Amino acid sequence: MRSPGVDGRAAVPTPPRRFGVLLAVGLSCLLLACGGQGIDPPERAPVRPQIDAAAPAPFVAPAEPNHIELRSGAGMTYLSSALHPDPLWRDGQRLDPVDERPVWWAESGMPGSASTQTAVVVGHNYSRREAPFRALRVVEPGDRVLLRTPSGVLEYAVETVGPLPKGSLLGEHELRAPVAGRLILANCDVRDGEPTDDNFVVVAQLVGR
């Protein structure tokens, strides 16, 4: 693992509670740079929220998520995106979302108030065109992640953010054990306009757990 991470922030640590899913995203997901002009770095600019600020509900039964939002600790929404309606399954040693929308990895835990597993949402990132999960680069500890499901809304508090070398979780890695109420967001990292050999990973914990 890398420590410290980008901009002095701690990289994804070896936490006392381990998230356990074989996180094959990044392992070799196809997140290729496209031709054309580069795009500006992601920023924490406000966007219109699509999830009711009165949420989350006190109890949410397990269900596939259909929308995700990232909010600052002060409540400003800087990412709001629908999730792809079809969950993602691994293709050999690769996770390759079908379009730019983030998507729930079906081999991970299903989000819910009483979930005992880690839920994983992955998304593409590019150096030459936009994709919602470019915003992972500006997530900060203390931010909130909201997942909307047909059962209700779940709120997670961001604990750590940072790069993780691609492929590091294919073997016997201590971060593969399940953790109740944990959410992992991941993309293929782009730094200074160029793809890297890392994934950028956000680790969040269900509020109230």
Side-chain angles (χ1 to χ4, degrees), residues 9-101:
R9 295 176 292 179
V12 178
T14 301
R17 297 172 298 172
R18 299 175 295 176
F19 71 78
V21 200
L22 183 66
L23 226 141
V25 59
L27 316 175
S28 26
C29 70
L30 283 183
L31 304 178
L32 303 178
C34 299
Q37 298 296 317
I39 54 177
D40 293 333
E43 56 184 43
R44 291 167 67 94
V47 299
R48 183 176 180 178
Q50 301 296 317
I51 297 179
D52 187 353
F59 179 82
V60 178
E64 295 181 16
N66 54 40
H67 201 96
I68 186 170
E69 289 192 352
L70 298 177
R71 295 181 181 176
S72 69
M76 179 196 71
T77 301
Y78 58 93
L79 167 72
S80 183
S81 174
L83 270 63
H84 195 279
D86 298 324
L88 182 64
W89 296 88
R90 184 169 21 175
D91 177 13
Q93 297 300 310
R94 186 178 71 195
L95 285 179
D96 189 12
V98 300
D99 62 19
E100 280 74 14
R101 287 174 291 181

